[in-house]
Amino acid sequence: MLNMAEGLSRLGALAAHPVVRTLATAFADAGFELAVVGGPVRDALLGRPTHDLDFTTNARPDDILRIVTPISTAQWDIGRAFGTIGARVQGEQVEITTYRADSYDGTTRKPVVEFGDTIDGDLLRRDFTVNAMALRVPDVKLVDPTSGVEDLVAGILRTPIDPAVSFGDDPLRMLRAARFSAQLAFAIERDTRRAMEELRDTLRIVSPERIQGELIRLLQTDDPVRGIRVLVDTGLIDLFLPEVPALRLEVDEHHHHKDVYEHSLTVLRQAIALETSRNPGAEPDVALRIAALLHDIGKPRTRRLESGGGVTFHHHDAVGSRMARKRLQALRFDGDTTDAVAKLIELHLRFFGYAEGAWTDSAVRRYVRDAGDQLERLHILTRADVTTRNKRKAARLAGAYDDIERRIVELREQEELDSIRPELDGNQIQQILGIAPGREVGEAYRFLLDLRLDEGVIGPDAAEQRLREWWALRSAG
């Protein structure tokens, strides 16, 4: 609950921030207005940490650059066309934007920018009332033309103007509603939510890169599930990640299986809890969270209803991996993230064979080799994938995974498990067998790698003897 006395005190502290004071003095001396705007004001009132400082002013971009240059160590004007100048002031990165009123023309993917002259007009064009507040500096005056404070108190997300107009100006704001709902644990006001449902198709004019950015921000929140539910319930997610609502498989009276959609949301929550407990203080792991959300997207495509009432999803791991790769590429995710998510989904079922019976050291080595640099994420995803209410089964699976992790540690202590290679390299293979570079060297290398995985370190002499035996058999065959 927002305490106004405490909130106003925190606004005073925000105004007294050294960077804010420095900029406020510089702009006032130059004869221009300046205000901290948006998220920093909202978070100060809520008592949340403030990470970035954003400012708005009646100064035009050229004037902003002229004012900040003497008091900053770096400046950048990549956003000049939109009225934004960035600078590094006293070690902090800030952005200062001219009062503006931008909108889409309904067909292009880029906003049309018009500069404004008043702070109230600038605030009216912002996404939600809780972000449409500003703190004038240096005189420390809260500007709140759309009753954002009241909505903060009520825990409501509402657009400053008619939501149809606001979302028409920038359809991406509909995705921001889902993100802020998750980030702040706020409800979306009725008319605003209805507009999201009615205008969802306008999201098609927004570039995949911008949608990807908003999806990442949602997944970086402490509890993105709330926002994902908003996207699914409004139909917005159908336009850029339709595999998620497709998880809501129909269940008839003769065939029973768990609710795959709810299961996936639970896995996401559990993965985040494990991620934060195993890596405290680390940045949110977006690739892991995407994999947790999408790990079962192959199930709708592979579902088979059996005559006895059972349901199977054979190969949904491999199918889902391919589907995820295609979708992330369409959303313009980078190659590393796409590869990581695809591999995690492909491997997420591998462990469950271990729970049925202890693996040999060879099987453990192969598990580590196949996971590669995704092993820690795979540990988390596999553990999070256990959502059974059967406490005995859950305890058995947890114990099995404790065991496999212990064995991996033990094997690492015995050998360099993370970089398993044959005990003889390609040059040695050629010299021992008297062959030139080519396909046969590759076959020999794979034989030695399998030998290494199956039997561990046997020494170069023994490896050479086994290689010669294999070569003799191969030649005779």
Side-chain angles (χ1 to χ4, degrees), residues 3 65 260 306 324:
N3 182 301
L65 192 57
V260 183
E306 304 294 336

Side-chain angles (χ1 to χ4, degrees), residues 17 124 359 427:
H17 189 290
L124 285 172
W359 288 351
N427 290 330

Side-chain angles (χ1 to χ4, degrees), residues 29 72 112 146 161 174 247 271 302 315 331 359 365 420 438:
D29 289 348
S72 59
V112 178
T146 63
I161 58 176
M174 295 184 287
L247 293 170
T302 59
H315 309 301
L331 286 169
W359 288 351
R365 292 188 190 98
I420 291 178

Side-chain angles (χ1 to χ4, degrees), residues 99-102 116-126 143 145:
Y99 298 156
R100 67 188 190 189
D102 56 19
D117 296 313
T118 67
I119 191 170
D120 281 18
D122 178 87
L123 295 175
L124 285 172
R125 56 157 286 280
R126 294 180 179 265
V143 184

Side-chain angles (χ1 to χ4, degrees), residues 8 21 31 40 46 76 88 98-99 129 186 202 220 257-258 296 313 315 366 416 423 425 438 443:
L8 291 174
R21 286 205 317 267
L46 290 174
W76 48 96
R88 185 169 299 281
T98 303
Y99 298 156
T129 59
F186 279 14
T202 63
Q220 288 173 329
H257 57 79
K258 70 174 66 175
D296 275 345
F313 304 97
H315 309 301
R366 291 177 186 276
E416 297 177 1
E423 293 185 73
D425 62 25
E443 292 179 10

Side-chain angles (χ1 to χ4, degrees), residues 212 215-220 224 228 241 243-244 247 264 267-268 271-272 275 284-297 320 323-325 327-329 331 333-334 336-342 344-345 377 381:
Q212 177 219 111
L215 177 61
I216 288 174
R217 293 184 189 96
L218 168 60
L219 290 169
Q220 288 173 329
I228 291 168
L241 202 56
E243 294 82 2
V244 173
L247 293 170
S264 297
V267 172
L268 174 57
I272 292 172
E275 171 198 333
D285 190 337
V286 173
L288 170 65
R289 297 179 183 199
I290 295 174
L293 177 63
L294 303 185
H295 75 285
D296 275 345
I297 60 171
M323 291 171 64
R325 179 178 294 280
R327 179 57 57 192
L328 295 187
Q329 288 172 341
L331 286 169
F333 274 88
D334 63 275
D336 288 345
T337 299
T338 301
D339 290 344
V341 171
L344 288 168
I345 294 175
R377 284 171 169 159
L381 177 59

